[in-house]
Amino acid sequence: MRAILLSLLISLPLFADLNATKKEIDNYRKIVTVGYYNALNNIDCYLTDYNDTNRSNYKQISKNKLQVILSVKDITKDSADVALRIRGKIELPQLKNKMELTFSQKDNEQIDNQSISSDHDDVVNDSKLHVGLKYYLYKEKKSKAYGKLSLKLSSPFGLYAKFGVDRGYLYKDFETVFNHGLYYYINENKFAASSAVSFFKPITIDYWIGQQNKIYWESKDSIYLKHNITLYQILGLNDRILYRTSYTTSYDDVDKFEHDSFGCSIGYFHRFNKWFFIEMIPEFKKHRSNGYKDAALLTLNFGMLLGN
C-alpha cells in the first residue's frame, strides 16, 4: 500500500492535467479510502468487542479524514530528504468521546476545509511520524485533559506516554490557546515537559496573524525555546500564502547555545481539487553553528486526502 501511495503522490503534480491519469489516480484514492475505512471499522469492533454485522457505524466512520503527504526537503542539495507523513485524528463510533486514534493534532474539520487555525495550519507540521491512542479525562469545546500512549515510527523509535492539558480563550475575535504536556519516554526511561501559548487574530477578511511561544525541557540543563510569527494571506478557496519568521534557541551542558537559529519562510499552498494539494516552502535560515551564514532550503509537499 505504501508503494501505491508514493507512486500516486509523485505522479500528481506531473500529470494533474491529463484526464486519463487523473481518473486513474482518483480510482486509486477511492480504493485506498475504502481499505482505510474497513480497517477503522475492524479496529472499532475489536476494541469494543462489538459485532457490527450490519455495518451500522460505517457512516460515522466515513466522516474521518486522513492526509497522506510526500514531503521532499532540501531539494536544493545533492541528496534530498524524502519522507512519507500522515496527519489526522480518528474518532471511532464505539469509543467516541472516550478514545481517539491520533497521527497529529490536526482534526477532521481542519483537514476537510483546509482551514486557517490557531494551530498554525502548515500542511506538514509534525517532525516525527507517530501513531497514538488518546483517552480523554475531560473534554469540552475549549478545554481538554487527556492521556496518550504513542509509538514513534521514525528514528529514534519507541513508546512514549503523555499527559496533556489544553485550554483556549476567545475574546471577540482574539484567540489565546495554552497547551501543556508531561511526557515519559519509556525506552529511555526519562521525563520531559512542554508548555506553549499561542495568539491568533484576523486582521481583515483575507489576512490573519498568529504568534506562538513554546518551551520544552528534559531537565534543568536541557531546555528548548521556539518563537514564531505567522501571517496568513487567503488568495481564494484553493490558494493561500503563509509568511513566517522564527527564532529557536536551546541549551544543554555540552553544546550550550550552539544550536540557536533564525529563519524566515514563505509557504504557498494550492489545492488542485478536494482530494489533492501541493505546498512549496522556500526558506532562509541562519545557524549559530554555521557562523550565522545564510542557508537556503526548499521543501515540496504533495498531499492526498483519504475520505468521502
Side-chain angles (χ1 to χ4, degrees), residues 28-295:
Y28 273 125
R29 188 198 64 79
K30 290 177 180 178
I31 292 172
V32 176
T33 297
V34 171
Y36 164 58
Y37 286 153
N38 287 338
L40 293 187
N41 190 68
N42 292 334
I43 292 172
D44 192 30
C45 293
Y46 175 79
L47 292 177
T48 58
D49 196 25
Y50 177 74
N51 185 15
D52 187 17
T53 55
N54 296 320
R55 302 180 70 82
S56 58
N57 293 319
Y58 196 86
K59 186 175 181 180
Q60 289 177 272
I61 285 177
S62 64
K63 294 180 181 179
N64 288 297
K65 304 294 191 298
L66 191 70
Q67 284 183 347
V68 182
I69 300 163
L70 179 66
S71 181
V72 186
K73 198 171 185 178
D74 290 351
I75 64 175
T76 55
K77 298 182 180 180
D78 294 335
S79 58
D81 179 17
V82 181
L84 183 67
R85 306 194 187 279
I86 301 175
R87 294 178 58 82
K89 184 178 70 173
I90 299 168
E91 293 183 349
L92 302 176
Q94 298 301 314
L95 297 174
K96 195 169 184 180
N97 297 323
K98 293 181 180 180
M99 287 188 179
E100 292 174 352
L101 294 174
T102 63
F103 296 92
S104 74
Q105 298 299 318
K106 193 171 187 180
D107 62 28
N108 285 320
E109 183 178 354
Q110 291 173 305
I111 288 175
D112 189 35
N113 298 326
Q114 295 294 345
S115 61
I116 297 296
S117 79
S118 57
D119 294 325
H120 303 293
D121 187 17
D122 310 71
V123 175
V124 178
N125 191 40
D126 302 315
S127 59
K128 301 294 181 182
L129 177 60
H130 70 273
V131 59
L133 187 63
K134 179 187 287 186
Y135 179 81
Y136 283 99
L137 304 170
Y138 174 79
K139 185 178 181 181
E140 295 292 340
K141 187 174 181 180
K142 292 289 184 179
S143 181
K144 301 172 185 177
Y146 59 89
K148 185 169 75 169
L149 183 65
S150 292
L151 174 65
K152 289 189 290 183
L153 302 179
S154 55
S155 182
F157 298 92
L159 285 168
Y160 70 92
K162 177 185 178 182
F163 171 73
V165 176
D166 301 336
R167 176 65 177 171
Y169 299 91
L170 182 64
Y171 177 72
K172 294 183 179 180
D173 58 356
F174 186 85
E175 184 179 8
T176 305
V177 180
F178 296 91
N179 307 103
H180 309 287
L182 178 64
Y183 305 81
Y184 175 62
Y185 296 95
I186 297 173
N187 290 10
E188 303 171 55
N189 191 27
K190 69 178 183 180
F191 286 91
S194 68
S195 186
V197 57
S198 305
F199 306 99
F200 191 72
K201 178 179 174 57
I203 302 173
T204 66
I205 296 177
D206 298 326
Y207 289 90
W208 301 59
I209 191 167
Q211 199 269 336
Q212 184 184 58
N213 310 280
K214 183 173 184 178
I215 181 171
Y216 174 88
W217 62 93
E218 295 180 354
S219 69
K220 65 179 181 180
D221 297 321
S222 182
I223 300 175
Y224 169 93
L225 292 163
K226 185 171 184 177
H227 312 276
N228 63 54
I229 298 176
T230 305
L231 177 66
Y232 304 86
Q233 181 183 5
I234 313 301
L235 302 177
L237 293 176
N238 297 318
D239 299 273
R240 67 172 178 266
I241 300 176
L242 277 69
Y243 309 87
R244 174 170 296 169
T245 62
S246 63
Y247 168 68
T248 301
T249 182
S250 60
Y251 173 86
D252 59 58
D253 281 341
V254 178
D255 297 323
K256 305 301 180 183
F257 296 99
E258 187 65 19
H259 299 291
D260 289 7
S261 66
F262 300 91
C264 62
S265 64
I266 300 176
Y268 171 68
F269 174 91
H270 174 71
R271 182 168 55 185
F272 295 101
N273 52 40
K274 186 177 179 180
W275 312 116
F276 300 101
F277 58 87
I278 186 174
E279 188 179 42
M280 295 173 284
I281 311 171
E283 183 177 7
F284 290 93
K285 279 193 172 183
K286 292 177 178 287
H287 294 273
R288 182 171 182 172
S289 58
N290 193 34
Y292 290 116
K293 296 179 181 178
D294 290 335

